[in-house]
Every structure is written in C-alpha cells, then in structure tokens.
Amino acid sequence: MDTPDWNDLRYFLAVIESGSLSAAARSLGVEHTTVSRRIEALEKVLGVRLFDRFARGWSLTTAGAELLPQARRVEEEIQGLLRLATGAADGFGTVRISAPPAIAAHWIAPRLAGLHAQLSGIQIELGAEPAHVDLSRREADIAIRFRRPLAPDLAVRVVATVKYYLCATPEYLASHNPDQWEFIGYDENLAETPQQEWLEAFAAGRPYVFYSNDLNSIAAAVRFAAGIAILPDYLAAGLIIPDIICPVQRELWMVIHDDVRKSPRVRRTADLIAQLFSSPAN
C-alpha cells in the first residue's frame, strides 16, 4: 500500500470539522472540486471509501469513522513536528500575526514600517481575523486576543489595556438632545461583549439605527454622524462625549504556542509587538 499524502488527510479532516464539502473548501481557501479530488486520492491509497456522497451532502462511512481518531492523531503529531521545527529554525523567515481586524488596521499596520526597520530578515504576515486562529495547527505564530486562553501549552502576556468611550461627532451632539440620541452597536453575535452590554444599559431603551459585527464599520458610522457608539481609545480621538464615563476596560493578550516561542524570529517579533502596544497608534 502506498503511503497517504498528509495534505490529503488535511482535506479529510477539514470536511469533518467544517461539516460540508463547500465549508471545508472555504476554510482551506480552495475550490470544492479540489477537496473532492484530494479525498478521492486518499480513498484510493487507503483502499476504503471514507464518505458516502449524497445530493444533500457527504456522510462519513463506517470505515471513515474508524479511521478518524488515527487521522487526528497523525495531524497532532505532524503539527507538533512543524511547531518544533519553527522553534528550532534560525532568526530569519516569516512570522504570521493574527489580530482582530480593528487592532490590525489601526494599531499594528500603522507601525509596520518601524517594525520592518527593526526586523531585518523577518517578513511579517498580518492576518486581520475576527475568529480565533488555532495556534496548535500553526494558523499563526503570534495571536493578539481580548480573552486569555486557558490551554496549558500557550504562553500569554498582557500587552495593553484598551479603554472604551461613548462617542459621537460634535455636530451630532449639537443637533440632538440626549432623549433623541440613537445608537450604533454590535450585532447579536457580539452582544455579550462588555462594551455592548454597557451600551445597552446606557441606551435604556432608546433606539438603535445600525448594528454591525465590524468595529471599523461602527466607527465609520459614528464619524459620519449616524449616531452614538462606544469605541475603543484607538478609534475615539475627537469623538469622545464629555462628562460621560464608561467604566469598560479590556486587557489585550499576546498568545504564542510554547513550541513556537522557542524560535528566535518569533521571540524578536513578539518583543517588538509588545513594545508597539505601549501607546495607541494614531
């Protein structure tokens, strides 16, 4: 029997974890025909059918279910090997940083020129991602997060404390009394964030004119006088409503897998990223 291609195993696991062929293709950044072809190649090498193909979707076969635990163990071992290889590599190469979109756009990207000057031989790849990446699968080398992860194999440190303010344009405030205020907030997917919970209490039943899952969109709506929102300090300049104190502050965490942080280039980059968070980007 030929040895299975590890990349084919990745496609097999992606279909299971994503729930469908099309979702797996999106997560892998390929066409669904590529996913189908790679799984067919894996089935040919293994000599078993892993999925039954139905019009409504793919269903794992009995053989596929039996092989799944071992496939996951193989993935864990390979990812562990790759993490260790990253840690053992020299101080040159690419370092991938994952951060929330607004943090990436307004706090990290404006400082890339300065980072580049101090990171000779290291290329930065910046991913602006609302969802948490999986560091154990090397989806990023360094992650910036608002929540501290609890996994024991992750190294974490606080790099900043983000303060929040109630914000509007002076023009909006001049033309609206407080009882006429209308609000801009996060959609239901982010309704449980501390800033949105505070805004809900402050609004006290007054209407919302706009919801979004994107902080950049919310900030843009405020700047064009669509209403009132709560914004982090790095987006609030010139918009802070005086005499209203918002108590919300959130710690920003840097997260690195224990294996990867042994890499000289990751350590160098992490230290400089921590320094740039010492003051907000304008």
Side-chain angles (χ1 to χ4, degrees):
M1 178 185 292
D2 293 334
T3 302
D5 185 331
W6 155 239
N7 284 312
D8 293 342
L9 281 175
R10 286 178 55 232
Y11 286 84
F12 168 58
L13 293 171
V15 172
I16 294 168
E17 293 169 2
S18 301
S20 70
L21 187 71
S22 58
R26 288 193 298 271
S27 70
L28 294 167
V30 299
E31 297 293 330
H32 72 276
T33 53
T34 301
V35 179
S36 178
R37 185 174 66 254
R38 298 302 290 264
I39 290 175
E40 287 173 2
L42 180 61
E43 290 176 327
K44 183 177 180 180
V45 171
L46 295 176
V48 297
R49 191 170 182 82
L50 300 171
F51 294 97
D52 287 322
R53 281 77 161 168
F54 299 108
R56 66 180 183 276
W58 287 21
S59 177
L60 196 63
T61 64
T62 300
E66 291 176 352
L67 293 174
L68 177 58
Q70 185 63 43
R72 284 179 168 150
R73 284 194 291 272
V74 170
E75 180 194 35
E76 291 172 0
E77 291 296 327
I78 290 177
Q79 293 296 349
L81 173 68
L82 294 173
R83 290 195 305 270
L84 289 171
T86 299
D90 60 27
F92 304 99
T94 300
V95 174
R96 188 173 192 279
I97 303 168
S98 173
I103 294 288
H106 299 281
W107 214 335
I108 299 177
R111 307 291 182 84
L112 285 181
L115 282 178
H116 178 70
Q118 299 179 71
L119 291 173
S120 177
I122 296 176
Q123 294 77 47
I124 298 296
E125 181 180 326
L126 179 59
E129 294 148 331
H132 286 179
V133 297
D134 190 338
L135 296 179
S136 68
R137 292 185 176 181
R138 299 177 63 252
E139 293 176 354
D141 299 307
I142 300 170
I144 305 299
R145 298 178 177 175
F146 275 107
R147 293 181 181 176
R148 178 176 184 170
L150 301 177
D153 55 355
L154 299 177
V156 300
R157 58 171 156 167
V158 176
V159 292
T161 298
V162 178
K163 298 180 181 180
Y164 288 82
Y165 298 91
L166 195 66
C167 293
T169 62
E171 294 78 12
Y172 185 91
L173 295 176
S175 60
H176 294 76
N177 295 322
D179 59 355
Q180 298 174 317
W181 285 359
E182 296 178 310
F183 294 87
I184 302 166
Y186 285 127
D187 67 11
E188 60 184 11
N189 294 319
L190 297 169
E192 295 182 359
T193 58
Q195 61 269 34
Q196 181 61 30
E197 290 181 343
W198 183 87
L199 186 62
E200 282 287 339
F202 181 84
R206 285 173 289 185
Y208 280 76
V209 294
F210 179 58
Y211 293 94
S212 178
N213 65 347
D214 177 54
L215 183 56
N216 285 319
S217 298
I218 291 173
V222 173
R223 290 191 179 278
F224 281 89
I228 291 175
I230 183 170
L231 297 177
D233 46 21
Y234 57 89
L235 290 176
L239 298 170
I240 297 173
I241 299 176
D243 302 324
I244 296 178
I245 297 175
C246 173
V248 178
Q249 299 185 18
R250 301 187 68 183
E251 291 180 326
L252 199 60
W253 297 85
M254 177 184 289
V255 188
I256 308 173
H257 196 281
D258 280 337
D259 293 338
V260 173
R261 72 170 174 155
K262 299 172 185 176
S263 163
R265 69 173 181 266
V266 173
R267 288 202 308 270
R268 285 175 60 199
T269 305
D271 289 342
L272 288 172
I273 290 291
Q275 290 177 25
L276 72 82
F277 277 109
S278 63
S279 62
N282 296 322

